[in-house]
Amino acid sequence: MRFNLLGPLEIVADNGRAATLSTPKVCQVLALLLIRPNEIVSVGALVEELWADHPPRSAVTTLQTYVYHARRIFAQQELVRPDRELLVTRPPGYLVDVTEDEVDAAVFTRLTRRGRTLLDDGRLEEASRVLREALDLWRGAALANVSAGTVLRGQITHLEELKIRAIELRMEAEQRLGRHRELIPELRALVCAYPLNEWFHAQLITALNRSGRRAEALQAYHDLRRILDEELGVLPTPEVQQLQLDLLNIGHLPLPADRDRAGVELSSSPS
């Protein structure tokens, strides 16, 4: 089987046939269990996810009904072998019993860890390839078709932060390989997608300058300064301001190496 969370929720059988999931609350329960694979998710966490601070008196019974419907979907649509117990009741809650390779979010996390290790070891080509493979798993916003409550939103935010970190790591690998020109289109897209991420802006400034486009690098700095002023009323960080000073003074920038800036730990998920 394949459980795809990095985009709309998809459950795909071994034969390639996708499950039809039409009940929003059932999708919500499955999404929270799948985003924490092989981990017991307590009844309390599931109730909080479904109803926040206002659970009905029948919350536990209703949750049991949603779990029953999920199991029935797996059986009726023949998504799992009859002898496989996928959705397991295990006090104080439930878990989804899967292998790491069956959940795209788990594969993404593993590949990102591997990419960072390769980068630390100076194996830049391999790091770039593995990190690109990890990022290619994303098909859009995580669980884009699931109505998420507070618990699930926290997990989704964690995944999105890991995605940004994987992008940063791959950018560093590519920069260290000297592929500045090739990175410019992607970096322009990234600063549009993440306008307040100063690290992406710094990479764009560096890539432009190292491609012989000093004037555009200065313009990229002024664009960042304007965005930060309009949105937050602040100046760029001293490190980014130094990039501008270096451009004005010598027209050449050192390669930024602070890839641990605001990085998140590559754990599978927060507790």
Side-chain angles (χ1 to χ4, degrees):
M1 294 188 71
R2 182 77 172 187
F3 300 94
N4 295 324
L5 313 183
L6 304 180
L9 174 63
E10 291 182 344
I11 301 176
V12 183
D14 291 337
N15 61 9
R17 187 163 50 83
T20 301
L21 302 173
S22 57
T23 306
K25 293 292 189 183
V26 172
C27 291
Q28 205 171 343
V29 169
L30 284 174
L32 185 54
L33 293 171
L34 287 166
I35 210 167
R36 295 162 64 173
N38 302 310
E39 178 183 338
I40 298 173
V41 180
S42 70
V43 167
L46 288 161
V47 168
E48 181 183 350
E49 168 62 24
L50 292 169
W51 296 288
D53 296 328
H54 305 286
R57 291 184 179 180
S58 61
V60 174
T61 301
T62 304
L63 171 61
Q64 291 170 344
T65 302
Y66 293 148
V67 172
Y68 166 77
H69 282 304
R71 287 172 172 152
R72 190 173 65 174
I73 289 170
F74 294 144
Q76 288 182 341
Q77 300 192 30
E78 299 180 343
L79 295 170
V80 294
R81 301 186 311 271
D83 62 340
R84 179 178 181 183
E85 188 178 13
L86 182 67
L87 208 170
V88 181
T89 300
R90 189 164 297 171
Y94 303 92
L95 65 80
V96 173
D97 186 6
V98 291
T99 66
E100 182 182 271
D101 288 341
E102 289 181 314
V103 182
D104 64 351
V107 175
F108 165 73
T109 301
R110 173 172 55 80
L111 289 172
T112 302
R113 286 196 187 114
R114 175 62 177 158
R116 178 169 186 167
T117 299
L118 290 167
L119 188 59
D120 288 341
D121 292 343
R123 297 161 66 181
L124 304 181
E125 288 282 4
E126 292 177 77
S128 177
R129 176 182 56 78
V130 169
L131 290 164
R132 186 180 291 279
E133 182 181 350
L135 290 164
D136 284 346
L137 292 170
W138 286 78
R139 300 167 291 111
L143 296 169
N145 58 345
V146 176
S147 178
T150 55
V151 180
L152 191 54
R153 279 199 297 270
Q155 300 288 330
I156 291 171
T157 298
H158 179 75
L159 277 177
E160 296 284 353
E161 286 295 326
L162 284 180
K163 179 184 179 183
I164 292 173
R165 187 64 179 131
I167 294 170
E168 290 178 345
L169 291 168
R170 192 179 71 78
M171 290 293 105
E172 181 183 343
E174 297 287 340
Q175 291 271 31
R176 288 169 61 182
L177 285 165
R179 296 169 180 165
H180 310 294
R181 292 181 188 276
E182 293 85 346
L183 285 176
I184 290 171
E186 186 174 356
L187 285 166
R188 287 200 185 277
L190 284 169
V191 299
C192 289
Y194 303 97
L196 300 181
N197 187 312
E198 293 185 60
W199 194 88
F200 288 149
H201 285 273
Q203 299 305 301
L204 175 60
I205 293 166
T206 300
L208 286 167
N209 183 64
R210 287 180 173 265
S211 300
R213 296 161 68 172
R214 181 186 178 204
E216 291 177 71
L218 285 167
Q219 182 60 56
Y221 173 82
H222 288 299
D223 289 343
L224 169 62
R225 180 166 178 163
R226 174 183 52 78
I227 290 168
L228 293 178
D229 180 54
E230 292 177 355
E231 296 292 330
L232 303 174
V234 299
L235 292 171
T237 63
E239 293 79 8
V240 179
Q241 291 185 51
Q242 186 61 49
L243 294 181
Q244 183 209 26
L245 292 176
D246 290 341
L247 276 169
L248 293 172
N249 292 334
I250 60 175
H252 179 74
L253 300 183
L255 184 64
D258 187 15
R259 61 180 162 83
D260 287 323
R261 179 211 54 80
V264 297
E265 290 300 320
L266 298 175
S267 57
S268 58
S269 69
S271 11

